[in-house]
Amino acid sequence: MDKMVVVGGQKLNGQVNTGGAKNAALPILFSTLLAEGEHVFRNVPRLKDIDSTSELLQALGCETRWDGDLFRVLVKPAPSLEAHYDIVRKMRASILCLGPLLTKYGEAVVSMPGGCAIGTRPIDLHLEGMKALGAEIVLEEGYVKAHAKKLKGNTILFEVCTVGGTENLMMAAALADGITVLENAAKEPEIVDLAEYLNKMGAKISGAGTSVITIEGVNKLKPAEHAIMADRIEAGTLLIAGAITGGEVTVNRIKPQLIESLISKMKEAGFKIAVSNDSVMVHPNTSWTGIDITTAPFPLFPTDLQAQYMALMAVSQGASVITETVFENRFMHVQELIRLGADITPKTRVAVVRGHSGRLKGAPVMATDLRASASLVLAGLVADGETTVSRIYHLDRGYERLEEKLSSLGARIKRM
Ligand code: EPZ
C-alpha cells in the first residue's frame, strides 16, 4: 500500500498547471453511452477514477483507449446493460450510467453504490427523477433494476441540490419524448461542461449553471469531441499548498471565477491574491487570521475544498468555525490533523479550529477519503519533521501526480 512521505518547512514557489476536472470527466464519459460511435476527449485527467470508468464502459461493451493526450471512447450498439457491484463499489459515480442506459436502451441494471466514508450518499433523488420520467424501478439484491419503453419529459423538483442527480436526469431526459424541466438543479460548473458536451452531441439543453435546466428530448445523438474543463478543486488545493507554506505560487489553466469563494475567504484571512483570466497567484504571507466558512452548493464554498481549507486554518493566527452542510460525515480528516498537533473541536457538521503559531509536528497519519488525504499532505508541508500519509490510494482517485506537482514547487515529498 503506497504511502506519501512529506518533510515540512519548505516554502513552495513557482508555477503549476491545473489538470482536467475529475468531476466533469466522469459524467461526460458516461454520457458517451447515449451515442454509438467514437467520442474523442482532450484534457482527461489520468486518475484511478478514470480507470474505473473505463473498466465499467468496457464491461458495457465499449472500447476505451488513450491515444497520446487524447482519450477515445468507441461505443458499440446494444452493449450489456448491467453495471456489476465489483466495479460500482470502487466508484459511486458509476450510478451515472443509469440515465444513459435507460433512455438509450430502455433498460439498466446498476448496482447500488453502497456507503461511503463521507456520508450515506443516497440515490433516492436519482430514482424518483427516473420514475417521474416514466421508468419502472425495482431495487433487489443490491441492484437498481430500471425499465422504460420510452422515457417521457416531465418537470422534476429536486428537494436537495444534487450534482449527480442533476447530471443523471439531464442525460436521461436528452433522449426522452418531450420537454423535461429540472428545478432546484445543481449549478456546479461541471454540470455546464456536461451540458455543453450533450449539446455538441445534438441534445437541446438550456439553463445549465442555473437552478432551472430545460431539456428538449431528441431522437438521436451522435458522438462528438470535447476538451474537459479544468479541475477547480485541484486548483484550489494547489493554491492552498502555496499559501500554507508562505510561498508565492501561480496556479495556471484555471478561470479564477471557478474558485471565487475560496479566493475571497483567503483574502479575508489576509492573503494577497492576484488573478488573470486563466491563473491565480498567491503572494508570500507569514501570518493569516481564522475565517469561518460554511460549505454549500456552487457558487458558495465547495465541500470538496473544506478539508484542505481546514489545514490552512489549523496554522492560522486565530479561530475559525467550519460548517459542513453538504455531507453528514466529512470531518474524517479532523482526528488525523489533531495527530499532527492541530487544535480542532469537531461537533456534528461544525468544527471549531483554533489556529496557533506553534508549529504542527509531523507524525504518521491515515487518509480516509479523497479530499481528507489532500488535507493531510497540505498539513505535512508545514509540520515540523516528517509526516507519513498512508492509504493514499484515496488521493490517487482524484489527484494526478500531486507529489510531482508539489515537488516542482520545492516541496520535499515522495511516494514510498
Ligand atoms: C458530487 O457528488 C461530487 N462527485 C462530489 O465530489 C461532491 O462532493 C458533491 O457532488 C457535492 O458537490 C462527482 O461529481 C463524481 P450530490 P454527488 O448528489 O453527486 C444528498 C470528490 O471529492 N443526496 O450533490 O454524489 C447527498 O447525500 C467528490 O470529488 C440525496 O439526499 O453529490 C448529499 O448530502 C466527493 N439524495 C447532497 O445531496 C440523492 O439522490 C449532495 O450530494 C442524491 C444526493
Side-chain angles (χ1 to χ4, degrees), residues 22-24 26-27 92-93 96 118 120-127 160-165 167 186 188 232-233 303-304 325-328 330 349 370-371:
K22 166 176 88 78
N23 291 349
L26 297 183
R92 351 173 7 81
L96 293 173
I118 62 178
T120 52
R121 299 185 70 182
I123 56 167
D124 54 317
L125 302 177
H126 297 236
L127 303 183
V160 170
C161 256
T162 159
V163 171
E167 291 165 344
E188 270 65 13
R232 61 193 169 99
I233 304 304
T303 174
D304 291 352
T325 70
V326 177
F327 290 109
E328 66 268 26
R330 201 168 197 175
R349 287 186 183 251
L370 166 54
R371 306 303 173 181

Side-chain angles (χ1 to χ4, degrees), residues 263-281:
I263 290 171
S264 59
K265 285 294 178 181
M266 286 174 69
K267 281 180 175 171
E268 258 186 85
F271 288 97
K272 272 205 288 312
I273 303 219
V275 299
S276 75
N277 66 347
D278 68 348
S279 73
V280 183
M281 178 172 90

